Amino acid sequence: MIKPRGAVEKVDFNGGYVNFHLRFSDLAQETVGAALSQKQTYGRPDRPRGAKVLVEHTSVNPTGPIHVGRARNPMIGDTLARVLRQAGYDVTTEFYVNDVGRQVVMMTWGVKNLKVDTEPEKDKDDYRYVLYYQKANKLLEEQPDREKEVGTMLYKLEHGDPETVKATHEVCESVLKAIMQTLNQLNIEVDGFTWESKFVENKSVDKIIERLKGSEYCHEQDGAYYLELEGFGIAGRETKWFFTRSDGTSVYTTRDLAYHMDKFTRTDIAINILGEDHKLAMQELAAALTIMGEPKKPEIVYYAFVSLPEGRMSTRKGRVVNLDDLIDEAVDRAYEEVKKRREDLSEERMREIARIVGIGALRYNIVRVQAEKQIVFKWEDALNFEGSSAPFIQYAHARACSILNKAGSWSREFDPSHLATDYEKDLVKSIAGFPSVLADCAENRRTHPLAVYAQDLAAQFNQFYRYVPVLKAEGGARDARLALVEASMWALRNSLNSLGVEAPEEM
């Protein structure tokens, strides 16, 4: 028999498990007291983790607007970074800009050599320049003899031709700035940008190539060099990993190697957010790092793509739903809901709430699904404001704020014995779970469990509010219930903030 101690009220055995039952009054005092005193930091560990984490996300080719197919990358990446910060890590986010590859050269070649008569869908440079990219692709399919022009431009870029470097940088910077305007609307920012061309210009790529050429796994074929990776878990035709072309220029993964070697000098943990189509490339990169004697490897969070009911999206073919369109539609639909429910508000305030609710619905709908599971994008699912949605959680937070605003003065020296109903006890337990859910998400590099937790917390709060009087209560019961409302507010707010969703005080 185990004798209970401290906050443990009872210990029993059931089905091969030992169950510890905490004394509820102690749990309530500790949980509610911590939320009220720590406020925005509730959920964080007492001490920082000490590890530096670099989360690379988005990193889309700067050849046009972000489409819905790639929308999971920035949302998962930004949310994971927020979760890691809230869990005590020192986090930096980064966008790796592919300004050397063939796609960027194709777009720049199009800008330089072609004329586009079509008006862009939006007055933004990502919409403007993607028209040149699409026209260049179509032209080269019809006139393959002009492929040599693009190849020459790519060669000049990789060998530092000033005019070519300047032209591609100007185009990339314009598109990148427009892409960030889109991401900023989703509450997504990045701490820094690393340009792929940096590793060509500073000769890091040349050093990588020389190191790989000196490896026992290196072979040459028609002037191109490759590593034989059969002994590294890679099979079939993919065992030959080419790290140079026959003309001596590097390939994308070679430059990615240089980038990762640079990353490892700046961080303890490197996390990449990547689509599932990058799995082979990351296997090859890991094998190359091992061959080079580099002990560090990046951690990869893979996500399945978002597709349309009619199939995969393609920037090159122009078959896309752009993220900007999704944002506009989400906010417009949210506005219609706000207008129906809150005619008492000014037009400006309705628009602001619609923005908060629409963006929240969009972000939450993406991150609530496990990254490895595919999402078939449907408007009716993405903009569903009932059930498992951000507006449901946001409304619970707004309701808590409203109660506290109406309460006036009350004593925060509450007596937890007044929290006696099952609704109150369940809510306390739900709030108490926030730090462990947050830590688990950070440890396992996942975001969807936090979205599920926030939904459950909002539901528990709504049950409590529906069946337990707060403002009409008196004395110690009123103080204890108001303390529970404020603790709920902080747990809801910190959950929403960690998910990148704004927590409005009215809806």
Side-chain angles (χ1 to χ4, degrees), residues 250-293:
S250 61
V251 297
Y252 175 82
T253 314
T254 319
R255 300 187 291 273
D256 206 19
L257 268 176
Y259 174 42
H260 279 83
M261 295 296 285
D262 176 72
K263 274 187 186 181
F264 298 148
T265 67
R266 299 184 280 122
T267 191
D268 301 309
I269 302 169
I271 301 176
N272 300 345
I273 313 299
L274 292 171
E276 59 190 0
D277 57 337
H278 284 74
K279 287 184 177 179
L280 175 60
M282 287 299 102
Q283 278 184 282
E284 293 168 339
L285 183 134
L289 288 169
T290 298
I291 288 171
M292 292 170 61

mmCIF file of all heavy atoms in Angstrom, residues 250-293:
data_model
loop_
_atom_site.group_PDB
_atom_site.id
_atom_site.type_symbol
_atom_site.label_atom_id
_atom_site.label_comp_id
_atom_site.label_asym_id
_atom_site.label_seq_id
_atom_site.Cartn_x
_atom_site.Cartn_y
_atom_site.Cartn_z
ATOM 1 N N SER A 250 26.932 23.524 -60.159
ATOM 2 C CA SER A 250 26.361 22.773 -59.048
ATOM 3 C C SER A 250 24.867 22.561 -59.246
ATOM 4 O O SER A 250 24.236 23.227 -60.066
ATOM 5 C CB SER A 250 26.595 23.526 -57.736
ATOM 6 O OG SER A 250 25.958 24.789 -57.769
ATOM 7 N N VAL A 251 24.312 21.620 -58.497
ATOM 8 C CA VAL A 251 22.870 21.406 -58.507
ATOM 9 C C VAL A 251 22.303 21.927 -57.187
ATOM 10 O O VAL A 251 23.045 22.274 -56.263
ATOM 11 C CB VAL A 251 22.518 19.914 -58.695
ATOM 12 C CG1 VAL A 251 23.001 19.422 -60.042
ATOM 13 C CG2 VAL A 251 23.104 19.063 -57.572
ATOM 14 N N TYR A 252 20.971 21.952 -57.091
ATOM 15 C CA TYR A 252 20.326 22.564 -55.931
ATOM 16 C C TYR A 252 20.782 21.932 -54.618
ATOM 17 O O TYR A 252 21.106 22.632 -53.646
ATOM 18 C CB TYR A 252 18.796 22.442 -56.059
ATOM 19 C CG TYR A 252 18.070 22.941 -54.832
ATOM 20 C CD1 TYR A 252 17.819 24.296 -54.647
ATOM 21 C CD2 TYR A 252 17.652 22.052 -53.836
ATOM 22 C CE1 TYR A 252 17.178 24.764 -53.520
ATOM 23 C CE2 TYR A 252 17.003 22.510 -52.696
ATOM 24 C CZ TYR A 252 16.772 23.864 -52.552
ATOM 25 O OH TYR A 252 16.137 24.319 -51.422
ATOM 26 N N THR A 253 20.818 20.598 -54.558
ATOM 27 C CA THR A 253 21.138 19.946 -53.294
ATOM 28 C C THR A 253 22.574 20.199 -52.864
ATOM 29 O O THR A 253 22.880 20.199 -51.672
ATOM 30 C CB THR A 253 20.856 18.423 -53.384
ATOM 31 O OG1 THR A 253 19.588 18.211 -53.992
ATOM 32 C CG2 THR A 253 20.840 17.800 -52.013
ATOM 33 N N THR A 254 23.475 20.435 -53.818
ATOM 34 C CA THR A 254 24.853 20.786 -53.460
ATOM 35 C C THR A 254 24.878 22.132 -52.744
ATOM 36 O O THR A 254 25.563 22.303 -51.726
ATOM 37 C CB THR A 254 25.742 20.878 -54.720
ATOM 38 O OG1 THR A 254 25.421 19.811 -55.608
ATOM 39 C CG2 THR A 254 27.213 20.804 -54.347
ATOM 40 N N ARG A 255 24.129 23.059 -53.265
ATOM 41 C CA ARG A 255 24.041 24.367 -52.602
ATOM 42 C C ARG A 255 23.317 24.250 -51.262
ATOM 43 O O ARG A 255 23.627 24.971 -50.309
ATOM 44 C CB ARG A 255 23.350 25.362 -53.541
ATOM 45 C CG ARG A 255 24.094 25.555 -54.871
ATOM 46 C CD ARG A 255 23.508 26.656 -55.713
ATOM 47 N NE ARG A 255 22.188 26.355 -56.257
ATOM 48 C CZ ARG A 255 21.974 25.717 -57.406
ATOM 49 N NH1 ARG A 255 22.995 25.287 -58.150
ATOM 50 N NH2 ARG A 255 20.739 25.511 -57.835
ATOM 51 N N ASP A 256 22.359 23.322 -51.198
ATOM 52 C CA ASP A 256 21.649 23.083 -49.942
ATOM 53 C C ASP A 256 22.596 22.511 -48.882
ATOM 54 O O ASP A 256 22.459 22.785 -47.688
ATOM 55 C CB ASP A 256 20.492 22.111 -50.191
ATOM 56 C CG ASP A 256 19.367 22.275 -49.176
ATOM 57 O OD1 ASP A 256 19.306 23.334 -48.520
ATOM 58 O OD2 ASP A 256 18.552 21.354 -49.039
ATOM 59 N N LEU A 257 23.546 21.716 -49.318
ATOM 60 C CA LEU A 257 24.577 21.208 -48.402
ATOM 61 C C LEU A 257 25.365 22.361 -47.786
ATOM 62 O O LEU A 257 25.602 22.395 -46.574
ATOM 63 C CB LEU A 257 25.553 20.290 -49.155
ATOM 64 C CG LEU A 257 25.264 18.793 -49.174
ATOM 65 C CD1 LEU A 257 26.293 18.102 -50.064
ATOM 66 C CD2 LEU A 257 25.309 18.211 -47.772
ATOM 67 N N ALA A 258 25.768 23.292 -48.634
ATOM 68 C CA ALA A 258 26.509 24.464 -48.141
ATOM 69 C C ALA A 258 25.663 25.259 -47.159
ATOM 70 O O ALA A 258 26.164 25.750 -46.130
ATOM 71 C CB ALA A 258 26.943 25.340 -49.312
ATOM 72 N N TYR A 259 24.374 25.378 -47.464
ATOM 73 C CA TYR A 259 23.459 26.105 -46.578
ATOM 74 C C TYR A 259 23.359 25.424 -45.216
ATOM 75 O O TYR A 259 23.403 26.077 -44.163
ATOM 76 C CB TYR A 259 22.087 26.195 -47.249
ATOM 77 C CG TYR A 259 20.987 26.796 -46.399
ATOM 78 C CD1 TYR A 259 21.206 27.923 -45.608
ATOM 79 C CD2 TYR A 259 19.699 26.242 -46.401
ATOM 80 C CE1 TYR A 259 20.179 28.480 -44.854
ATOM 81 C CE2 TYR A 259 18.674 26.798 -45.656
ATOM 82 C CZ TYR A 259 18.930 27.907 -44.874
ATOM 83 O OH TYR A 259 17.914 28.454 -44.128
ATOM 84 N N HIS A 260 23.257 24.106 -45.215
ATOM 85 C CA HIS A 260 23.139 23.391 -43.944
ATOM 86 C C HIS A 260 24.433 23.449 -43.137
ATOM 87 O O HIS A 260 24.387 23.550 -41.897
ATOM 88 C CB HIS A 260 22.697 21.951 -44.182
ATOM 89 C CG HIS A 260 21.217 21.817 -44.386
ATOM 90 N ND1 HIS A 260 20.604 22.035 -45.597
ATOM 91 C CD2 HIS A 260 20.221 21.538 -43.506
ATOM 92 C CE1 HIS A 260 19.293 21.871 -45.465
ATOM 93 N NE2 HIS A 260 19.042 21.570 -44.216
ATOM 94 N N MET A 261 25.539 23.388 -43.805
ATOM 95 C CA MET A 261 26.811 23.529 -43.081
ATOM 96 C C MET A 261 26.885 24.901 -42.411
ATOM 97 O O MET A 261 27.396 25.051 -41.293
ATOM 98 C CB MET A 261 27.989 23.331 -44.035
ATOM 99 C CG MET A 261 28.088 21.923 -44.625
ATOM 100 S SD MET A 261 28.405 20.652 -43.375
ATOM 101 C CE MET A 261 30.147 20.962 -43.041
ATOM 102 N N ASP A 262 26.341 25.905 -43.090
ATOM 103 C CA ASP A 262 26.273 27.243 -42.512
ATOM 104 C C ASP A 262 25.296 27.279 -41.336
ATOM 105 O O ASP A 262 25.572 27.876 -40.291
ATOM 106 C CB ASP A 262 25.841 28.234 -43.594
ATOM 107 C CG ASP A 262 25.644 29.643 -43.050
ATOM 108 O OD1 ASP A 262 26.648 30.299 -42.738
ATOM 109 O OD2 ASP A 262 24.479 30.074 -42.932
ATOM 110 N N LYS A 263 24.154 26.626 -41.489
ATOM 111 C CA LYS A 263 23.157 26.555 -40.417
ATOM 112 C C LYS A 263 23.751 25.980 -39.133
ATOM 113 O O LYS A 263 23.503 26.488 -38.033
ATOM 114 C CB LYS A 263 21.990 25.640 -40.834
ATOM 115 C CG LYS A 263 20.879 26.266 -41.608
ATOM 116 C CD LYS A 263 19.769 25.224 -41.754
ATOM 117 C CE LYS A 263 18.650 25.694 -42.639
ATOM 118 N NZ LYS A 263 17.572 24.681 -42.754
ATOM 119 N N PHE A 264 24.501 24.907 -39.282
ATOM 120 C CA PHE A 264 25.010 24.202 -38.112
ATOM 121 C C PHE A 264 25.981 25.047 -37.296
ATOM 122 O O PHE A 264 26.236 24.760 -36.124
ATOM 123 C CB PHE A 264 25.674 22.889 -38.528
ATOM 124 C CG PHE A 264 24.744 21.905 -39.186
ATOM 125 C CD1 PHE A 264 25.201 21.031 -40.163
ATOM 126 C CD2 PHE A 264 23.396 21.864 -38.843
ATOM 127 C CE1 PHE A 264 24.352 20.124 -40.771
ATOM 128 C CE2 PHE A 264 22.533 20.956 -39.452
ATOM 129 C CZ PHE A 264 23.007 20.088 -40.418
ATOM 130 N N THR A 265 26.543 26.086 -37.897
ATOM 131 C CA THR A 265 27.429 26.987 -37.142
ATOM 132 C C THR A 265 26.627 28.012 -36.349
ATOM 133 O O THR A 265 27.187 28.697 -35.490
ATOM 134 C CB THR A 265 28.394 27.740 -38.083
ATOM 135 O OG1 THR A 265 27.652 28.645 -38.917
ATOM 136 C CG2 THR A 265 29.185 26.765 -38.958
ATOM 137 N N ARG A 266 25.317 28.117 -36.649
ATOM 138 C CA ARG A 266 24.509 29.172 -36.035
ATOM 139 C C ARG A 266 23.432 28.655 -35.097
ATOM 140 O O ARG A 266 22.728 29.449 -34.478
ATOM 141 C CB ARG A 266 23.839 30.009 -37.144
ATOM 142 C CG ARG A 266 24.793 30.703 -38.068
ATOM 143 C CD ARG A 266 24.066 31.582 -39.074
ATOM 144 N NE ARG A 266 23.495 30.864 -40.202
ATOM 145 C CZ ARG A 266 22.211 30.877 -40.544
ATOM 146 N NH1 ARG A 266 21.362 31.555 -39.814
ATOM 147 N NH2 ARG A 266 21.786 30.213 -41.602
ATOM 148 N N THR A 267 23.268 27.333 -35.005
ATOM 149 C CA THR A 267 22.164 26.817 -34.202
ATOM 150 C C THR A 267 22.503 25.458 -33.613
ATOM 151 O O THR A 267 23.403 24.759 -34.103
ATOM 152 C CB THR A 267 20.886 26.710 -35.058
ATOM 153 O OG1 THR A 267 19.768 26.461 -34.217
ATOM 154 C CG2 THR A 267 20.998 25.599 -36.093
ATOM 155 N N ASP A 268 21.779 25.087 -32.573
ATOM 156 C CA ASP A 268 21.926 23.751 -31.989
ATOM 157 C C ASP A 268 21.006 22.748 -32.674
ATOM 158 O O ASP A 268 21.360 21.590 -32.850
ATOM 159 C CB ASP A 268 21.597 23.793 -30.482
ATOM 160 C CG ASP A 268 22.491 24.752 -29.719
ATOM 161 O OD1 ASP A 268 23.727 24.646 -29.874
ATOM 162 O OD2 ASP A 268 21.976 25.605 -28.975
ATOM 163 N N ILE A 269 19.815 23.223 -33.029
ATOM 164 C CA ILE A 269 18.811 22.356 -33.661
ATOM 165 C C ILE A 269 18.302 23.045 -34.921
ATOM 166 O O ILE A 269 17.799 24.164 -34.861
ATOM 167 C CB ILE A 269 17.619 22.082 -32.710
ATOM 168 C CG1 ILE A 269 18.097 21.429 -31.408
ATOM 169 C CG2 ILE A 269 16.571 21.208 -33.393
ATOM 170 C CD1 ILE A 269 17.019 21.374 -30.336
ATOM 171 N N ALA A 270 18.460 22.380 -36.059
ATOM 172 C CA ALA A 270 17.971 22.910 -37.336
ATOM 173 C C ALA A 270 16.728 22.124 -37.734
ATOM 174 O O ALA A 270 16.784 20.908 -37.892
ATOM 175 C CB ALA A 270 19.035 22.805 -38.418
ATOM 176 N N ILE A 271 15.603 22.819 -37.881
ATOM 177 C CA ILE A 271 14.340 22.182 -38.262
ATOM 178 C C ILE A 271 13.908 22.726 -39.612
ATOM 179 O O ILE A 271 13.829 23.939 -39.806
ATOM 180 C CB ILE A 271 13.241 22.447 -37.212
ATOM 181 C CG1 ILE A 271 13.666 21.908 -35.841
ATOM 182 C CG2 ILE A 271 11.926 21.808 -37.641
ATOM 183 C CD1 ILE A 271 12.679 22.227 -34.724
ATOM 184 N N ASN A 272 13.633 21.825 -40.547
ATOM 185 C CA ASN A 272 13.153 22.207 -41.879
ATOM 186 C C ASN A 272 11.693 21.804 -42.030
ATOM 187 O O ASN A 272 11.327 20.667 -41.707
ATOM 188 C CB ASN A 272 13.955 21.502 -42.984
ATOM 189 C CG ASN A 272 15.424 21.830 -42.943
ATOM 190 O OD1 ASN A 272 15.846 22.770 -42.286
ATOM 191 N ND2 ASN A 272 16.223 21.044 -43.659
ATOM 192 N N ILE A 273 10.860 22.703 -42.515
ATOM 193 C CA ILE A 273 9.472 22.376 -42.853
ATOM 194 C C ILE A 273 9.424 22.142 -44.358
ATOM 195 O O ILE A 273 9.685 23.054 -45.141
ATOM 196 C CB ILE A 273 8.508 23.520 -42.469
ATOM 197 C CG1 ILE A 273 8.786 24.019 -41.049
ATOM 198 C CG2 ILE A 273 7.063 23.071 -42.632
ATOM 199 C CD1 ILE A 273 8.612 22.987 -39.966
ATOM 200 N N LEU A 274 9.107 20.919 -44.760
ATOM 201 C CA LEU A 274 9.201 20.559 -46.175
ATOM 202 C C LEU A 274 8.017 19.717 -46.623
ATOM 203 O O LEU A 274 7.468 18.923 -45.847
ATOM 204 C CB LEU A 274 10.488 19.771 -46.434
ATOM 205 C CG LEU A 274 11.821 20.521 -46.287
ATOM 206 C CD1 LEU A 274 12.970 19.544 -46.355
ATOM 207 C CD2 LEU A 274 11.952 21.591 -47.356
ATOM 208 N N GLY A 275 7.664 19.862 -47.888
ATOM 209 C CA GLY A 275 6.641 19.016 -48.481
ATOM 210 C C GLY A 275 7.129 17.582 -48.597
ATOM 211 O O GLY A 275 8.329 17.311 -48.655
ATOM 212 N N GLU A 276 6.184 16.661 -48.657
ATOM 213 C CA GLU A 276 6.528 15.237 -48.701
ATOM 214 C C GLU A 276 7.326 14.860 -49.945
ATOM 215 O O GLU A 276 7.985 13.816 -49.964
ATOM 216 C CB GLU A 276 5.249 14.404 -48.624
ATOM 217 C CG GLU A 276 4.266 14.695 -49.747
ATOM 218 C CD GLU A 276 2.906 14.042 -49.535
ATOM 219 O OE1 GLU A 276 2.728 13.350 -48.506
ATOM 220 O OE2 GLU A 276 2.026 14.223 -50.394
ATOM 221 N N ASP A 277 7.318 15.707 -50.976
ATOM 222 C CA ASP A 277 8.071 15.420 -52.194
ATOM 223 C C ASP A 277 9.573 15.641 -52.015
ATOM 224 O O ASP A 277 10.353 15.364 -52.931
ATOM 225 C CB ASP A 277 7.558 16.259 -53.368
ATOM 226 C CG ASP A 277 7.599 17.761 -53.093
ATOM 227 O OD1 ASP A 277 7.607 18.152 -51.911
ATOM 228 O OD2 ASP A 277 7.611 18.544 -54.062
ATOM 229 N N HIS A 278 9.996 16.132 -50.833
ATOM 230 C CA HIS A 278 11.419 16.360 -50.572
ATOM 231 C C HIS A 278 12.083 15.210 -49.812
ATOM 232 O O HIS A 278 13.251 15.312 -49.437
ATOM 233 C CB HIS A 278 11.612 17.644 -49.757
ATOM 234 C CG HIS A 278 11.445 18.897 -50.560
ATOM 235 N ND1 HIS A 278 10.218 19.356 -50.975
ATOM 236 C CD2 HIS A 278 12.363 19.792 -51.032
ATOM 237 C CE1 HIS A 278 10.381 20.477 -51.653
ATOM 238 N NE2 HIS A 278 11.657 20.753 -51.711
ATOM 239 N N LYS A 279 11.364 14.131 -49.564
ATOM 240 C CA LYS A 279 11.907 13.066 -48.713
ATOM 241 C C LYS A 279 13.185 12.460 -49.283
ATOM 242 O O LYS A 279 14.160 12.262 -48.560
ATOM 243 C CB LYS A 279 10.852 11.979 -48.485
ATOM 244 C CG LYS A 279 9.742 12.411 -47.539
ATOM 245 C CD LYS A 279 8.758 11.285 -47.261
ATOM 246 C CE LYS A 279 7.711 11.738 -46.255
ATOM 247 N NZ LYS A 279 6.713 10.674 -45.962
ATOM 248 N N LEU A 280 13.191 12.153 -50.569
ATOM 249 C CA LEU A 280 14.383 11.564 -51.176
ATOM 250 C C LEU A 280 15.548 12.541 -51.129
ATOM 251 O O LEU A 280 16.680 12.167 -50.779
ATOM 252 C CB LEU A 280 14.103 11.144 -52.616
ATOM 253 C CG LEU A 280 15.311 10.610 -53.403
ATOM 254 C CD1 LEU A 280 15.888 9.378 -52.716
ATOM 255 C CD2 LEU A 280 14.929 10.318 -54.851
ATOM 256 N N ALA A 281 15.291 13.804 -51.460
ATOM 257 C CA ALA A 281 16.356 14.814 -51.450
ATOM 258 C C ALA A 281 16.970 14.947 -50.060
ATOM 259 O O ALA A 281 18.190 15.111 -49.923
ATOM 260 C CB ALA A 281 15.811 16.157 -51.915
ATOM 261 N N MET A 282 16.158 14.847 -49.021
ATOM 262 C CA MET A 282 16.681 14.956 -47.655
ATOM 263 C C MET A 282 17.456 13.712 -47.247
ATOM 264 O O MET A 282 18.411 13.793 -46.478
ATOM 265 C CB MET A 282 15.535 15.224 -46.684
ATOM 266 C CG MET A 282 14.968 16.632 -46.769
ATOM 267 S SD MET A 282 16.195 17.933 -46.380
ATOM 268 C CE MET A 282 16.616 18.519 -48.041
ATOM 269 N N GLN A 283 17.056 12.544 -47.768
ATOM 270 C CA GLN A 283 17.842 11.328 -47.544
ATOM 271 C C GLN A 283 19.227 11.477 -48.172
ATOM 272 O O GLN A 283 20.242 11.111 -47.571
ATOM 273 C CB GLN A 283 17.142 10.113 -48.166
ATOM 274 C CG GLN A 283 16.055 9.496 -47.321
ATOM 275 C CD GLN A 283 15.510 8.246 -47.995
ATOM 276 O OE1 GLN A 283 14.721 8.309 -48.939
ATOM 277 N NE2 GLN A 283 15.946 7.107 -47.518
ATOM 278 N N GLU A 284 19.249 12.005 -49.387
ATOM 279 C CA GLU A 284 20.513 12.201 -50.093
ATOM 280 C C GLU A 284 21.377 13.225 -49.365
ATOM 281 O O GLU A 284 22.592 13.040 -49.221
ATOM 282 C CB GLU A 284 20.235 12.655 -51.529
ATOM 283 C CG GLU A 284 19.555 11.591 -52.376
ATOM 284 C CD GLU A 284 19.021 12.136 -53.691
ATOM 285 O OE1 GLU A 284 18.804 13.360 -53.800
ATOM 286 O OE2 GLU A 284 18.819 11.330 -54.616
ATOM 287 N N LEU A 285 20.749 14.312 -48.899
ATOM 288 C CA LEU A 285 21.495 15.331 -48.176
ATOM 289 C C LEU A 285 22.099 14.761 -46.892
ATOM 290 O O LEU A 285 23.261 15.019 -46.562
ATOM 291 C CB LEU A 285 20.590 16.515 -47.859
ATOM 292 C CG LEU A 285 21.272 17.696 -47.158
ATOM 293 C CD1 LEU A 285 20.861 19.014 -47.809
ATOM 294 C CD2 LEU A 285 20.922 17.728 -45.675
ATOM 295 N N ALA A 286 21.311 13.969 -46.156
ATOM 296 C CA ALA A 286 21.803 13.364 -44.917
ATOM 297 C C ALA A 286 22.977 12.429 -45.201
ATOM 298 O O ALA A 286 23.964 12.397 -44.452
ATOM 299 C CB ALA A 286 20.677 12.616 -44.208
ATOM 300 N N ALA A 287 22.879 11.671 -46.292
ATOM 301 C CA ALA A 287 23.971 10.755 -46.663
ATOM 302 C C ALA A 287 25.228 11.542 -47.006
ATOM 303 O O ALA A 287 26.347 11.185 -46.600
ATOM 304 C CB ALA A 287 23.548 9.888 -47.840
ATOM 305 N N ALA A 288 25.069 12.629 -47.753
ATOM 306 C CA ALA A 288 26.214 13.465 -48.126
ATOM 307 C C ALA A 288 26.866 14.091 -46.890
ATOM 308 O O ALA A 288 28.094 14.173 -46.791
ATOM 309 C CB ALA A 288 25.786 14.546 -49.100
ATOM 310 N N LEU A 289 26.054 14.516 -45.931
ATOM 311 C CA LEU A 289 26.597 15.071 -44.683
ATOM 312 C C LEU A 289 27.409 14.019 -43.930
ATOM 313 O O LEU A 289 28.475 14.315 -43.384
ATOM 314 C CB LEU A 289 25.455 15.590 -43.794
ATOM 315 C CG LEU A 289 24.770 16.883 -44.257
ATOM 316 C CD1 LEU A 289 23.491 17.131 -43.444
ATOM 317 C CD2 LEU A 289 25.713 18.083 -44.119
ATOM 318 N N THR A 290 26.914 12.803 -43.913
ATOM 319 C CA THR A 290 27.649 11.709 -43.265
ATOM 320 C C THR A 290 28.972 11.456 -43.963
ATOM 321 O O THR A 290 30.016 11.295 -43.323
ATOM 322 C CB THR A 290 26.796 10.423 -43.268
ATOM 323 O OG1 THR A 290 25.597 10.644 -42.519
ATOM 324 C CG2 THR A 290 27.557 9.260 -42.656
ATOM 325 N N ILE A 291 28.948 11.426 -45.290
ATOM 326 C CA ILE A 291 30.170 11.205 -46.071
ATOM 327 C C ILE A 291 31.193 12.303 -45.793
ATOM 328 O O ILE A 291 32.407 12.063 -45.741
ATOM 329 C CB ILE A 291 29.822 11.136 -47.570
ATOM 330 C CG1 ILE A 291 29.093 9.818 -47.879
ATOM 331 C CG2 ILE A 291 31.067 11.270 -48.449
ATOM 332 C CD1 ILE A 291 28.501 9.727 -49.264
ATOM 333 N N MET A 292 30.694 13.526 -45.572
ATOM 334 C CA MET A 292 31.585 14.645 -45.289
ATOM 335 C C MET A 292 32.052 14.674 -43.832
ATOM 336 O O MET A 292 32.843 15.534 -43.444
ATOM 337 C CB MET A 292 30.868 15.967 -45.620
ATOM 338 C CG MET A 292 30.627 16.170 -47.102
ATOM 339 S SD MET A 292 29.523 17.591 -47.416
ATOM 340 C CE MET A 292 30.480 18.925 -46.718
ATOM 341 N N GLY A 293 31.539 13.736 -43.022
ATOM 342 C CA GLY A 293 31.953 13.675 -41.629
ATOM 343 C C GLY A 293 31.226 14.653 -40.723
ATOM 344 O O GLY A 293 31.665 14.914 -39.598
#
